[in-house]
Every structure is written in C-alpha cells, then in structure tokens.
Amino acid sequence: NLRCNMVTKDISSISRVYSIISNAKANYLSNKDNKSIKMYTCPYDSCHVSNLTENDLWWHYPLYHIGSRNLLKVICPVCNKECGANTKPF
C-alpha cells in the first residue's frame, strides 16, 4: 500500500523520481546477498519498507512521507537519533 506524495507537471521531476525509485530497486537486487552492506527498514509508523541502502532510505523518507504528519517520534536507523514533528529527519 504505497502512496504517492508528489504532485507535479514537470516531466524532468517525474523522470528524476522514477530514476531514484529504480535505483533503489537495483541497489536491493545487487546487494541483497552482500552481508557487508547494511540494509535499512523505514522507521515511519506503518510504512516499514525494507531492504533500503542508507542512500535509498535518505531518498525514500521525503518522497513517501513528506506530506504525512509525524506526531510520533521515530528513531533513525542510521544514526539512532530521535526524529519527529519538530526535527528534521535523518
């Protein structure tokens, strides 16, 4: 149940986001068996998209959750700091 939070008529922006999402999938496929690369799960309440590299998680969070209210505090899986409604995630 993934939701889109991007509204644009700019073709280059759509292309850029598609590229980011495609890269995340390619990163997963090429790194899924590589134990030296840490994979993350989105900490956002009820999302839990998994198998993201650190960079993929950095892109995922604003693309999927920019329009969502975050009243709960979440712990960043990369830096272990608390993020929430009044803090900048990651």
Side-chain angles (χ1 to χ4, degrees):
N1 184 11
L2 298 175
R3 297 175 310 265
C4 176
N5 286 311
M6 179 180 176
V7 178
T8 185
K9 66 178 185 173
D10 181 47
I11 298 300
S12 64
S13 294
I14 294 169
S15 178
R16 176 72 176 129
V17 168
Y18 181 74
S19 174
I20 291 166
I21 294 169
S22 296
N23 285 338
K25 178 71 172 183
N27 286 340
Y28 166 70
L29 292 174
S30 65
N31 295 315
K32 66 181 180 178
D33 297 322
N34 186 343
K35 302 296 182 203
S36 66
I37 296 180
K38 183 155 174 68
M39 302 301 267
Y40 298 94
T41 298
C42 177
Y44 193 79
D45 188 40
S46 76
C47 177
H48 306 295
V49 169
S50 60
N51 298 313
L52 300 167
T53 64
E54 182 177 340
N55 192 49
D56 296 335
L57 178 61
W58 188 87
W59 281 109
H60 165 85
Y61 202 87
L63 286 175
Y64 285 84
H65 306 298
I66 194 73
S68 303
R69 270 186 86 172
N70 185 10
L71 299 177
L72 300 174
K73 302 253 184 226
V74 295
I75 303 297
C76 171
V78 177
C79 67
N80 291 320
K81 292 184 181 177
E82 193 175 77
C83 299
N86 297 320
T87 59
K88 184 178 178 185
F90 310 139

